[in-house]
Amino acid sequence: MADVIRGRSGVLTSKEMKRRLLLEIENPLSLVITPLLDERSAFDLDAVDLRLGTHFLFPRVPPRAYYCPDEESRQTFHMRVHVPLGDFLVVPPHHTVLGATFEFIKLPFDVSGEILTKSSVARTFTLIETAPWIHPNYRGCLTLEIANVSNTAMLLYPGRRIGQLILLHVAVDDEANTEELLDSTYFGPVFPEAPPFKNPQEDLFKIGVPIVKVMLGPKPIPRTPPRQKRKRRTL
């Protein structure tokens, strides 16, 4: 198998993708894209179309006047929204939202990938990726960083094609120790994933920064009960 892998390079063709889709899932060379709807028109020569899923993460208005990427941000910065098939999501102009692909993907140990905005979608000034690279052995739905950079509100319909997946060969000698290639940070997600940051103090301490400034938010102002108006006595 190693000799076969060494002899290949470049982008996978649709023929190679379809061949790997037919392999048993236990085979380390197998590829999974499911559900693959309207398969006949889903493939280009060097890419396969992916559709928009039904779950989204909308940025919340932060409780502070800034956003700090720390341990608390993953749970506090986003609001989960589900949009069923047949309905639509309104993204205001110059706003962002995290979405996910409708398809669940499993990449082989010798293949990496890249998710790109479909050209027809990009020409509406809607972008779906700022971190497009997908590592070998990835499993899960792909989180999409969707941005409406136009001057008008945009309607997103779950189930419609929104991106193209391009796959590339990786020069791996054999499938030994492929478990080490598994990315534990984003492994097996079926919903959009918010970034799991650590606190800045912990990250910077590892590179020898002993003191890290932290901006503390303002203390909440205690709420006082409203004054009751005195009733006027009438004679």
Side-chain angles (χ1 to χ4, degrees), residues 7-22 29 31 33 36 39 42-49 107-108 110-113 164-170:
R8 295 177 178 174
S9 61
V11 177
L12 269 66
T13 63
S14 58
K15 183 178 180 180
E16 174 67 7
M17 292 185 205
K18 292 176 182 178
R19 185 187 72 81
R20 291 191 181 226
L21 286 169
L22 296 176
L29 296 175
L31 170 68
I33 303 175
L36 192 53
E39 184 174 347
F43 286 94
D44 287 330
L45 176 62
D46 55 356
V48 57
D49 289 341
L107 292 188
D110 65 328
V111 170
S112 61
Q164 286 190 314
L165 177 64
I166 299 174
L167 301 178
L168 303 95
H169 286 283
V170 177

Side-chain angles (χ1 to χ4, degrees), residues 30-32 100-101 103-113 133-144 165 167 178 181-193:
S30 66
L31 170 68
V32 174
T101 58
E103 297 83 1
F104 184 96
I105 294 165
K106 172 217 172 233
L107 292 188
F109 75 97
D110 65 328
V111 170
S112 61
W133 198 254
I134 311 161
H135 296 290
N137 271 336
Y138 177 84
R139 279 102 163 105
C141 298
L142 298 175
T143 295
L144 307 175
L165 177 64
L167 301 178
T178 56
L181 298 175
L182 296 176
D183 185 355
S184 59
T185 304
Y186 304 105
F187 185 78
V190 293
F191 302 115
E193 289 283 298

Side-chain angles (χ1 to χ4, degrees), residues 61-220:
V61 176
R64 302 170 182 172
Y66 58 89
Y67 171 71
C68 178
D70 55 20
E71 290 181 349
E72 297 181 0
S73 62
R74 188 173 193 178
Q75 305 298 330
T76 60
F77 188 61
H78 294 92
M79 175 180 63
R80 293 191 176 274
V81 177
H82 174 246
V83 181
L85 294 175
D87 206 343
F88 58 84
L89 177 72
V90 180
V91 182
H94 308 292
H95 279 64
T96 57
V97 61
L98 291 179
T101 58
F102 193 66
E103 297 83 1
F104 184 96
I105 294 165
K106 172 217 172 233
L107 292 188
F109 75 97
D110 65 328
V111 170
S112 61
E114 189 173 9
I115 177 70
L116 302 175
T117 309
K118 280 187 67 68
S119 58
S120 56
V121 176
R123 291 172 188 177
T124 65
F125 301 101
T126 303
L127 307 177
I128 69 164
E129 88 294 325
T130 52
W133 198 254
I134 311 161
H135 296 290
N137 271 336
Y138 177 84
R139 279 102 163 105
C141 298
L142 298 175
T143 295
L144 307 175
E145 303 93 12
I146 303 171
N148 176 12
V149 297
S150 72
N151 295 322
T152 58
M154 187 66 60
L155 304 186
L156 298 180
Y157 283 87
R160 298 190 74 180
R161 292 173 178 170
I162 196 168
Q164 286 190 314
L165 177 64
I166 299 174
L167 301 178
L168 303 95
H169 286 283
V170 177
V172 181
D173 288 339
D174 52 47
E175 67 272 22
N177 298 324
T178 56
E179 296 294 331
E180 299 178 358
L181 298 175
L182 296 176
D183 185 355
S184 59
T185 304
Y186 304 105
F187 185 78
V190 293
F191 302 115
E193 289 283 298
F197 290 110
K198 296 180 180 179
N199 287 326
Q201 304 94 313
E202 183 178 351
D203 272 342
L204 295 175
F205 182 79
K206 293 179 180 179
I207 61 172
V209 181
I211 300 175
V212 178
K213 293 182 179 180
V214 178
M215 182 179 289
L216 299 177
K219 294 182 179 180

